[in-house]
Amino acid sequence: MSAPFIVSQTAGLILAVVLGLFFGLFLERGGLGNPHKLTGVFYLTDFSVPKAMFTAILVAATGLYLLSDLKILDMQRVWIVPTFFWPQLVGGALFGIGFLVSGYCPGTAVAGLASGRLDALVTMAGIGAGSLVFAIVYPALEGFYFSSSMEGVTLPSLLGISHWVVMAFVYLMAGGMFYMMERYERTR
Amino acid sequence: MEVIMKKDSFWSPYIAGAGLGLTLLATFVITGWGLGASSAFSLLTGVGLGKLSPEYANKLTYFSQYLNVESPLLNWVLFEIMGLFLGALVGALLAGNFRLRLDKPVHMSTWTRVLTAFGGGIIIGFASRLARGCTSGVALSGGAQLALAGWVFVIAMFVSGFIGAALFRRLWS
């Protein structure tokens, strides 16, 4: 039997809570429930976000492609996040502004509330309101929302190179970034 | 008078990041999909509106994905978010980081902070729906899959955050 494992709905929801527990624990322990640390990267005062984020991506990506190569995990049955190029570029850019202004993103706002931050609760209400705004203007945006679909395209498939070549670039980029951030922090 | 603030204690972001990565990997292996967050807010808003004003909610095509299913609240991401809250609560309590407060930049008034928290939230909520997810579902999960979506989102987010911070220097620093 190879992963991913198909679980019943009840078992799936129990596992969701358990995996969420670890997600929240590591977010909070990494300082990612704190809006000063979360926005610090944009002011070059705190690099917790890129350090935690790119370490997480490196660890999960290495594990994912290693388990796939070892035939322990069947990648064909993993749901790849679909690409809609322009909506995601515009959405990501807008998201950066919302992140900077509020000091949170959706998951970290929940971690912020869990450490007693009432402003995080206000942001959570705002996220709900923003979802409603989107639903209201959706008919006008529908064309753009479904534009530039590239389905489950990955960097290795797009570039036609081995995933380990892409991973080597990711390691180099993240390693270089970590090195520069550590050096910058020491000289400050 | 000098007020001495207790400094919150955290782990190294590399250790926390490795923990996040292993959690995400376990999620891929067990369920076949990644972690999420923003869709839970959209789901709760859609279901809440469906209770308050079913007539209006049914007019919103985008929310029909929540309203035309049998038990919309038995949702994977929603349960994961409940776990996220509990896990973060345990972390904050054990480390002595839990304090009820309105966290804001020192120079900012309380009402301005309420405004930035809510206004920023509206932008995040809208942007997450347009991008089909947020830092969790697209950036982290997609990034780890080496999906183009994740990297487009991450780069756009950081570039616009840096530009925004240069324009609004006194927002947080």
Side-chain angles (χ1 to χ4, degrees):
Chain A
M1 183 173 170
S2 84
F5 307 108
I6 294 158
V7 285
S8 71
Q9 194 193 29
T10 313
L13 292 179
I14 294 169
L15 284 165
V17 176
V18 175
L19 291 162
L21 269 168
F22 283 101
F23 189 19
L25 178 75
F26 291 124
L27 278 180
E28 197 285 330
R29 291 293 66 226
L32 304 188
N34 176 336
H36 304 274
K37 290 180 89 66
L38 284 162
T39 54
V41 57
F42 300 125
Y43 294 96
L44 306 179
T45 51
D46 189 300
F47 299 99
S48 301
V49 168
K51 284 180 190 173
M53 192 169 180
F54 288 105
T55 306
I57 288 179
L58 283 183
V59 168
T62 307
L64 190 68
Y65 281 100
L66 202 62
L67 292 178
S68 165
D69 283 1
L70 295 172
K71 311 258 182 270
I72 295 168
L73 179 99
D74 179 5
M75 269 298 240
Q76 299 300 315
R77 285 164 56 224
V78 173
W79 182 80
I80 302 292
V81 177
T83 299
F84 290 80
F85 189 88
W86 291 110
Q88 276 158 342
L89 188 86
V90 174
L94 266 177
F95 190 95
I97 299 298
F99 189 169
L100 178 77
V101 171
S102 69
Y104 297 106
C105 59
T108 55
V110 176
L113 176 65
S115 48
R117 290 178 169 89
L118 298 173
D119 50 310
L121 186 62
V122 177
T123 294
M124 287 165 66
I127 297 171
S131 310
L132 178 61
V133 172
F134 182 82
I136 292 170
V137 300
Y138 178 74
L141 280 178
E142 203 172 8
F144 181 61
Y145 181 73
F146 285 107
S147 68
S148 54
S149 168
M150 300 169 77
E151 291 165 4
V153 69
T154 61
L155 297 176
S157 66
L158 182 73
L159 302 170
I161 51 179
S162 148
H163 44 258
W164 293 113
V165 176
V166 178
M167 282 304 295
F169 276 109
V170 177
Y171 282 122
L172 278 174
M173 183 208 66
M177 234 169 45
F178 293 158
Y179 174 77
M180 286 195 317
M181 291 186 291
E182 294 300 327
R183 248 183 70 147
Y184 182 78
E185 281 175 337
R186 267 203 306 275
T187 54
R188 279 183 77 235
Chain B
M1 199 181 84
E2 197 184 342
V3 182
I4 296 161
M5 289 277 284
K6 197 181 132 288
K7 263 281 217 197
D8 288 349
S9 59
F10 297 113
W11 291 348
S12 151
Y14 298 116
I15 304 288
L20 286 173
L22 290 174
T23 307
L24 179 57
L25 180 61
T27 308
F28 284 140
V29 170
I30 295 167
T31 66
W33 57 77
L35 295 163
S38 64
S39 64
F41 292 85
S42 177
L43 167 78
L44 286 178
T45 306
V47 171
L49 189 70
K51 293 269 179 261
L52 280 173
S53 170
E55 211 177 307
Y56 183 62
N58 280 318
K59 278 194 205 146
L60 299 177
T61 323
Y62 188 77
F63 281 162
S64 62
Q65 56 179 318
Y66 313 128
L67 299 172
N68 298 339
V69 291
E70 207 158 305
S71 8
L73 294 181
L74 295 180
N75 173 278
W76 201 89
V77 177
L78 185 61
F79 275 66
E80 178 227 287
I81 286 293
M82 294 193 276
L84 192 166
F85 179 82
L86 292 174
L89 183 65
V90 168
L93 288 175
L94 289 181
N97 284 349
F98 187 93
R99 279 195 320 281
L100 217 54
R101 69 206 122 151
L102 192 94
D103 206 344
K104 61 182 186 62
V106 265
H107 58 82
M108 194 182 268
S109 76
T110 300
W111 286 111
T112 309
R113 176 58 183 139
V114 171
L115 212 71
T116 61
F118 192 71
I122 292 181
I123 302 174
I124 292 172
F126 183 90
S128 304
R129 298 305 8 106
L130 184 60
R132 293 170 167 80
C134 61
T135 7
S136 308
V138 179
L140 208 58
S141 304
Q145 293 173 338
L146 302 181
L148 178 65
W151 293 88
V152 167
F153 185 92
V154 163
I155 293 167
M157 178 185 88
F158 276 112
V159 167
S160 96
F162 277 116
I163 295 172
L167 293 175
F168 307 106
R169 286 210 153 278
R170 285 176 48 80
L171 192 59
W172 284 96
S173 70

